[in-house]
């Protein structure tokens, strides 16, 4: 006998977790499918000790604490979890249910909310000789244990929020921190860049890494070269963090009969995709004026869930009672 859920959420990151909790408030029967072996998405898996600053109600909160709170909140209504499963295919059955095929089993749902971010992710690796020798011990693509960098000389390569935030975080415990970027201007939030410029972090721009120096077991230093010049610098380092972002694949989703705009799924004001009963929230969803931050995805979740409930039960009103009246 196939078990049919009211709403199946593809993705167990922040947007998906809050959607699961909100669906529980609406007394929906919920399942979460995620390709990772644990819930929480990128904040929990890639940068648990990093601070998050753009969540309402928190001037700052670590990604680990934020993820823990979201998981605890979502588990209040005991959604079914299908972890370490990648959703590969989606089709509609004769009964009108959606059949989602993963790499392990089939799932059935009356409505679907896609909250998969940019899909299963992998770090953009450093394309230099010897890089593979040091990956996992001195060359890092994300930080999971901040104490590993205590009293070390650390170089960070990148110009976005993650690179700048890690530089500011590690400044407090590392012996010395360098940040290397190929441009003079950073892409991070202006406030963070101001903090960086007034910190003890040594800023090296415009440079790119050109070689990793050391034997087969130990990285001694890195050499950097001007982006548009010939000058080079060699920096002795204990640890090297490369923050070039992450690449992901959405090729399975692109076979689901949905409209796509590049790597994003266009949605209307209901967060509905081009197929009725299928909604998208978080970084995967796009519309005019979209701001891709966690707070946006959290706000999109109730809109998608309420409209999914109305799709399943047309007699239900889209606008529910306030949550303060429900608990």
């Amino acid at each position: 006998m196939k078990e049919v859920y009211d709403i199946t959420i593809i993705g167990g990151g922040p947007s998906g977790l809050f959607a699961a909790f909100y669906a529980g408030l609406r007394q929906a029967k919920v399942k979460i499918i995620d390709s990772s072996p644990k819930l929480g998405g990128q904040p929990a898996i890639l940068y648990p000790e990093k601070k998050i600053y753009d969540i309402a109600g928190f001037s700052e909160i670590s990604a680990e604490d934020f993820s823990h709170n979201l998981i605890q909140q979502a588990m209040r209504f005991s959604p079914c979890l299908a972890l370490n499963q990648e959703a590969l295919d989606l089709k509609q059955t004769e009964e009108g249910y959606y059949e989602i095929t993963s790499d392990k089993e089939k799932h059935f749902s009356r409505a679907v909310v896609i909250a998969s971010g940019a899909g299963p992710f992998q770090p953009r690796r450093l394309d230099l000789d010897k890089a593979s020798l040091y990956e996992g011990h001195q060359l890092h693509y994300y930080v999971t244990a901040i104490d590993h960098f205590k009293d070390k000389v650390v170089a960070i390569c990148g110009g976005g929020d993650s690179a700048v935030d890690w530089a500011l975080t590690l400044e407090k415990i590392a012996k010395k921190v360098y940040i290397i970027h190929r441009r003079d201007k950073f892409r991070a939030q202006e406030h963070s860049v101001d903090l960086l410029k007034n910190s003890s972090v040594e800023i090296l721009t415009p440079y790119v890494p050109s070689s990793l120096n050391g034997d087969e077991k130990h990285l001694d230093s890195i050499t950097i070269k001007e982006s548009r010049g010939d000058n080079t610098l060699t920096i002795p380092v204990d640890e090297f963090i490369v923050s070039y972002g992450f690449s992901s694949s959405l090729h399975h989703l692109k076979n689901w009969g949905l409209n796509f705009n590049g790597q994003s799924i266009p949605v209307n004001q209901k967060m509905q995709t081009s197929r009725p009963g299928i909604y998208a929230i978080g970084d995967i969803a796009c519309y005019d004026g979209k701001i891709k931050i966690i707070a946006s995805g959290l706000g999109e979740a109730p809109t998608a869930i309420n409209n999914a409930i109305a799709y399943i039960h047309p007699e239900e009103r889209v606008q529910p009672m306030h949550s303060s009246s429900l608990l």
Side-chain angles (χ1 to χ4, degrees):
M1 294 292 293
K2 58 188 178 185
E3 188 169 8
V4 180
Y5 287 79
D6 292 323
I7 299 173
T8 296
I9 299 167
I10 311 296
S15 299
L17 287 169
F18 189 59
F21 166 72
Y22 195 88
L25 286 179
R26 296 298 314 272
Q27 297 186 317
K29 185 179 179 181
V30 178
K31 176 180 280 188
I32 301 173
I33 302 175
D34 194 277
S35 60
S36 300
K38 60 185 285 188
L39 294 170
Q42 291 193 26
I45 297 170
L46 300 182
Y47 48 89
E49 299 195 54
K50 183 180 171 183
K51 298 293 184 183
I52 299 174
Y53 300 100
D54 52 11
I55 303 298
F58 297 95
S59 57
E60 67 175 51
I61 185 171
S62 72
E64 182 176 35
D65 289 342
F66 177 59
S67 300
H68 172 78
N69 292 349
L70 281 169
I71 293 168
Q72 187 178 48
Q73 184 183 47
M75 292 303 103
R76 176 171 184 166
F77 296 108
S78 303
C80 177
L81 302 180
L83 302 181
N84 209 21
Q85 295 191 37
E86 186 174 358
L88 303 176
D89 189 31
L90 179 144
K91 64 182 180 181
Q92 202 159 16
T93 67
E94 292 181 357
E95 301 93 333
Y97 305 139
Y98 281 108
E99 178 184 298
I100 304 159
T101 303
S102 76
D103 49 354
K104 295 183 178 178
E105 58 184 311
K106 292 183 183 296
H107 310 269
F108 297 89
S109 190
R110 293 179 172 86
V112 177
V113 175
I114 302 172
S116 57
F121 47 85
Q122 293 291 332
R124 291 191 175 95
R125 286 178 156 76
L126 187 65
D127 186 18
L128 287 179
D129 292 342
K130 294 187 177 182
S132 61
L133 295 177
Y134 307 122
E135 288 176 354
H137 54 99
Q138 285 180 280
L139 173 57
H140 314 270
Y141 296 107
Y142 47 86
V143 177
T144 57
I146 194 171
D147 288 342
H148 178 80
F149 300 89
K150 187 175 181 180
D151 300 323
K152 303 279 188 70
V153 178
V154 183
I156 301 171
C157 196
D161 286 305
S162 290
V164 172
D165 289 348
W166 277 124
L168 293 171
T169 298
L170 295 178
E171 178 202 15
K172 301 177 180 66
I173 66 166
K175 180 179 180 180
K176 172 71 177 178
V177 177
Y178 298 93
I179 188 166
I180 304 154
H181 185 40
R182 60 194 175 97
R183 296 191 179 98
D184 289 320
K185 186 175 181 179
F186 289 87
R187 303 186 310 277
Q189 289 185 350
E190 293 85 350
H191 177 66
S192 298
V193 175
D194 284 343
L195 291 176
L196 180 70
K197 291 179 178 178
N198 289 293
S199 72
S200 65
V201 175
E202 187 167 342
I203 300 172
L204 300 173
T205 60
Y207 283 93
V208 294
S210 59
S211 68
L212 304 177
N213 312 312
D215 58 30
E216 292 186 355
K217 295 184 178 180
H218 189 266
L219 174 66
D220 297 319
S221 64
I222 61 172
T223 299
I224 59 176
K225 178 181 176 297
E226 280 185 314
S227 300
R228 297 184 179 181
D230 297 322
N231 292 332
T232 61
L233 291 173
T234 297
I235 309 167
V237 297
D238 299 310
E239 308 288 341
F240 186 30
I241 300 171
V242 176
S243 184
Y244 285 167
F246 295 84
S247 60
S248 59
S249 174
L250 297 172
H251 66 278
H252 294 308
L253 285 179
K254 290 190 174 182
N255 295 323
W256 288 13
L258 303 170
N259 289 340
F260 266 80
N261 182 1
Q263 294 295 100
S264 301
I265 300 175
V267 296
N268 61 18
Q269 69 272 21
K270 298 179 180 181
M271 307 309 299
Q272 183 176 289
T273 68
S274 56
R275 293 187 67 177
I278 302 180
Y279 304 81
I281 61 175
D283 285 352
I284 190 70
C286 70
Y287 47 82
D288 287 346
K290 167 86 176 199
I291 304 297
K292 289 192 175 184
I293 58 175
I294 290 174
S296 298
L298 299 181
E300 293 162 1
T303 299
I305 294 299
N306 285 324
N307 282 285
I309 296 285
Y311 169 79
I312 298 167
H313 304 291
E315 72 281 4
E316 294 280 344
R317 59 181 183 176
V318 175
Q319 177 63 54
M321 296 174 65
H322 294 293
S323 61
S324 58
S325 303
L326 296 173
L327 294 177

